[in-house]
Amino acid sequence: MSGRLCFLTKEDCKEIHDTSVDILGECGVKIESEYALDKLSDFGCIVNRKNSIVKFPKYVIDDCLRYAPRSIKLYGRASKYDIKIESGRTYTSTASGYGIIDRNKKIARDGILNDVAEGTLVAENLDNIHSVIPFLTGVHDVPSEIASPIILGETFKNTNKTVEFYLTGGSNISSTLKDMDNVIKLSKIVAGSTFELRKKPFLMFLISSISPLTYTEDQSRILFRTVEEGLPLVIMPAILSGMTGPVTIAGTLVQSNAEFLAGLVMANSMKKGAPVMYGHSNTILDMHTGIYSGGAVEMGLISACIAQMGEYYDIPTNSYCPKSDSHISDQQVGYEKAIQWILGSLSGVSYLSGAGCVTSESLVSLEQLVIDNEVIGMVNRVNDGINITEETLAGDLIKYIGPGGNYMKTNHTTFWLNSEHFKPKISQKDSYTQWLNNEEKDIVDVAAINVENILEIEQSPVNNDVIKDIDNFQNELLKNINNI
């Protein structure tokens, strides 16, 4: 079913593409990196050194699209977690927040490194979570100067699933490049060698343009370093419609597409055919409050259209959603995220993030992560569609059972039950009387028990030698920062 939902015709996609190419050729993109300007100039782009504006000829864009890989493979450190990101299949990942809902006090607080470990371990043990983003972008018990590699290390210590990582950038380009060096060094330690990391990448980087039509120095350098190391790359515009982009969805799609294509050319100027995914984190500005609206239904609608643009280019897509604007795990989180998940998945987005977040991804919650895992299972069942065969149509069986019969004890029911019916793990399915007798009155209570069970019973699946190597790396970073 993935890819069945269409909002754009092929003619619409071509219009968006042509308008984007026209903008890139006449208006251009501001790229605040001398290194990037040099690479793009050599690659055939028109560079104005005075204002850092780069214009992209159509033939350069067309050439890069021609070389773009149609699928990207990420390798879990256990082979069962390998994923091939391509059209026709949607994978899902966790979210990352700036703070966390304390699972005991039920209020928001700053995160600590142990929260990263717990969030990763819970995600490792949820069947419908295919990949992991570090659960927090920063923690208050680790110096900010080394937070990125320390947090990523804690993630690597608790999962064998693939990992997506967003390096926000340091206080200056020097600290950003140092962060990137440490992250790459850590990844090579986990992989065993540079060769093994490139042969079986388990990590992909996400970089974001700054809307409208700008790439900063730090994001440009992260982009080039990612390509240089042979790692998959997600180029993810994050437009606020009505503020940093046009208020119309069509206009947002055009600008987002232009920003993506500029990033694609940058990646190809380093290496033709670099593994690049078409990403998006675009949504609307709520004009009543002036606040970023991650839970807007328009974000899901944009996801659906990005999926179609990816199909038009034959490039895998990545949406940094679903999200919700609610601040707790409530009905609003349920309907906002479910709508976005359905829209993205049925339209064919290759990779969706967002499991575990509330407050437009500013906060994360372990209970919400478990609830989202259940929702994703339902969405996956929708994606599976309906299996029409002679056996599933069951014509002969219906005639055999006849009027007034019962199908409960038939071999047909036994054989097909597990594949045809979704089996919820935490959803309420008891009668009202049974529910009244239960101590857990709502889905959050049930999810909280699941979280506690995982953290009490499960241990890290990662090889002890790898954990020891990561510990040594983290301790060295902490030692060096304490000596400054």
Side-chain angles (χ1 to χ4, degrees):
M1 292 286 291
S2 184
R4 295 279 184 93
L5 190 62
C6 296
F7 291 96
L8 304 174
T9 65
K10 286 187 177 180
E11 290 74 20
D12 293 334
C13 292
K14 185 178 186 303
E15 288 249 15
I16 291 169
H17 169 74
D18 290 344
T19 308
S20 302
V21 171
D22 181 58
I23 290 168
L24 290 171
E26 293 198 19
C27 171
V29 173
K30 186 173 185 178
I31 299 179
E32 301 170 341
S33 166
E34 286 296 325
Y35 182 80
L37 296 179
D38 290 341
K39 297 292 291 184
L40 291 168
S41 179
D42 293 342
F43 200 60
C45 296
I46 303 164
V47 175
N48 186 326
R49 300 280 178 173
K50 292 182 179 179
N51 57 14
S52 299
I53 296 294
V54 178
K55 296 182 179 180
F56 299 79
K58 183 178 183 300
Y59 77 89
V60 172
I61 298 169
D62 290 343
D63 194 46
C64 293
L65 286 169
R66 193 175 302 114
Y67 279 94
R70 302 329 180 200
S71 64
I72 292 174
K73 188 163 185 181
L74 280 176
Y75 294 83
R77 284 178 289 135
S79 60
K80 65 180 179 179
Y81 296 133
D82 292 354
I83 58 177
K84 188 177 182 182
I85 305 170
E86 59 187 349
S87 62
R89 177 71 169 90
T90 300
Y91 293 98
T92 52
S93 177
T94 58
S96 185
Y98 298 101
I100 187 168
I101 303 293
D102 190 287
R103 70 176 192 275
N104 296 313
K105 297 180 180 179
K106 309 301 181 186
I107 58 173
R109 60 169 172 81
D110 291 335
I112 58 176
L113 195 60
N114 187 59
D115 295 323
V116 177
E118 289 186 345
T120 307
L121 187 58
V122 170
E124 170 72 16
N125 288 279
L126 296 176
D127 293 343
N128 299 316
I129 304 297
H130 307 109
S131 187
V132 176
I133 297 173
F135 211 47
L136 290 163
T137 57
V139 291
H140 76 78
D141 56 342
V142 173
S144 59
E145 297 91 333
I146 55 172
S148 289
I150 293 288
I151 288 172
L152 184 60
E154 208 64 23
T155 303
F156 285 154
K157 281 158 57 175
N158 288 280
T159 186
N160 280 327
K161 294 182 179 181
T162 64
V163 175
E164 181 180 22
F165 189 63
Y166 177 64
L167 188 63
T168 56
S171 57
N172 53 54
I173 188 60
S174 176
S175 63
T176 297
L177 295 178
K178 187 175 181 180
D179 260 1
M180 190 68 178
D181 283 340
N182 283 326
V183 166
I184 295 298
K185 182 180 178 181
L186 169 65
S187 300
K188 291 177 180 179
I189 289 172
V190 173
S193 67
T194 299
F195 173 78
E196 286 299 322
L197 181 61
R198 293 188 177 187
K199 180 182 176 183
K200 291 186 175 183
F202 49 81
L203 174 71
M204 64 177 170
F205 276 88
L206 184 160
I207 70 107
S208 181
S209 51
I210 305 300
S211 301
L213 301 171
T214 302
Y215 278 88
T216 59
E217 169 81 2
D218 57 354
Q219 293 295 289
S220 299
R221 295 303 290 267
I222 294 168
L223 181 154
F224 284 116
R225 183 65 187 279
T226 302
V227 175
E228 184 181 25
E229 295 293 341
L231 297 174
L233 173 70
V234 184
I235 297 171
M236 185 165 285
I239 296 168
L240 269 177
S241 295
M243 182 178 181
T244 61
V247 73
T248 57
I249 301 301
T252 296
L253 291 171
V254 167
Q255 183 180 306
S256 177
N257 197 59
E259 291 178 13
F260 164 72
L261 291 175
L264 178 69
V265 173
M266 289 171 68
N268 276 263
S269 71
M270 171 63 74
K271 179 184 177 182
K272 273 201 171 182
V276 173
M277 293 181 67
Y278 187 154
H280 112 89
S281 186
N282 309 304
T283 189
I284 65 169
L285 178 73
D286 188 296
M287 294 298 182
H288 299 288
T289 63
I291 294 174
Y292 170 96
S293 182
V297 68
E298 288 83 5
M299 189 170 205
L301 187 58
I302 294 169
S303 285
C305 295
I306 293 294
Q308 288 191 250
M309 289 304 300
E311 185 178 355
Y312 179 77
Y313 292 137
D314 201 7
I315 295 175
T317 49
N318 182 316
S319 288
Y320 215 64
C321 68
K323 302 177 185 179
S324 173
D325 296 322
S326 181
H327 308 298
I328 59 173
S329 298
D330 60 4
Q331 290 95 330
Q332 182 178 336
V333 171
Y335 63 72
E336 286 183 340
K337 296 183 80 172
I339 288 171
Q340 289 189 6
W341 246 312
I342 283 286
L343 285 169
S345 188
L346 282 185
S347 60
V349 175
S350 312
Y351 186 103
L352 287 164
S353 307
C357 72
V358 295
T359 314
S360 296
E361 209 175 18
S362 293
L363 296 174
V364 287
S365 159
L366 291 172
E367 294 88 347
Q368 188 61 47
L369 180 55
V370 171
I371 294 169
D372 287 344
N373 180 69
E374 184 96 329
V375 177
I376 297 165
M378 295 179 185
V379 174
N380 289 343
R381 177 62 190 92
V382 173
N383 278 331
D384 287 341
I386 300 170
N387 183 18
I388 301 293
T389 67
E390 183 178 352
E391 185 68 19
T392 60
L393 289 170
D396 289 340
L397 178 64
I398 295 169
K399 288 185 286 186
Y400 174 76
I401 296 295
N406 189 292
Y407 294 83
M408 288 286 289
K409 295 182 179 181
T410 66
N411 291 335
H412 186 273
T413 296
T414 303
F415 182 82
W416 287 102
L417 175 62
N418 289 334
S419 60
E420 286 285 303
H421 295 182
F422 171 72
K423 296 179 290 298
K425 294 184 177 179
I426 64 170
S427 299
Q428 179 58 250
K429 300 297 178 181
D430 290 334
S431 69
Y432 181 74
T433 302
Q434 290 172 316
W435 173 76
L436 284 176
N437 293 329
N438 291 338
E439 292 182 6
E440 310 85 39
K441 294 301 183 186
D442 63 32
I443 195 69
V444 180
D445 293 333
V446 179
I449 291 173
N450 273 255
V451 168
E452 295 301 331
N453 287 341
I454 291 173
L455 295 178
E456 182 179 339
I457 297 170
E458 301 295 341
Q459 296 183 342
S460 169
V462 179
N463 183 284
N464 286 333
D465 290 338
V466 174
I467 293 177
K468 184 177 179 180
D469 288 341
I470 296 173
D471 283 337
N472 291 337
F473 176 80
Q474 291 174 317
N475 291 335
E476 188 67 22
L477 287 179
L478 289 166
K479 178 182 174 182
N480 290 340
I481 200 72
N482 288 332
N483 289 336
I484 293 177

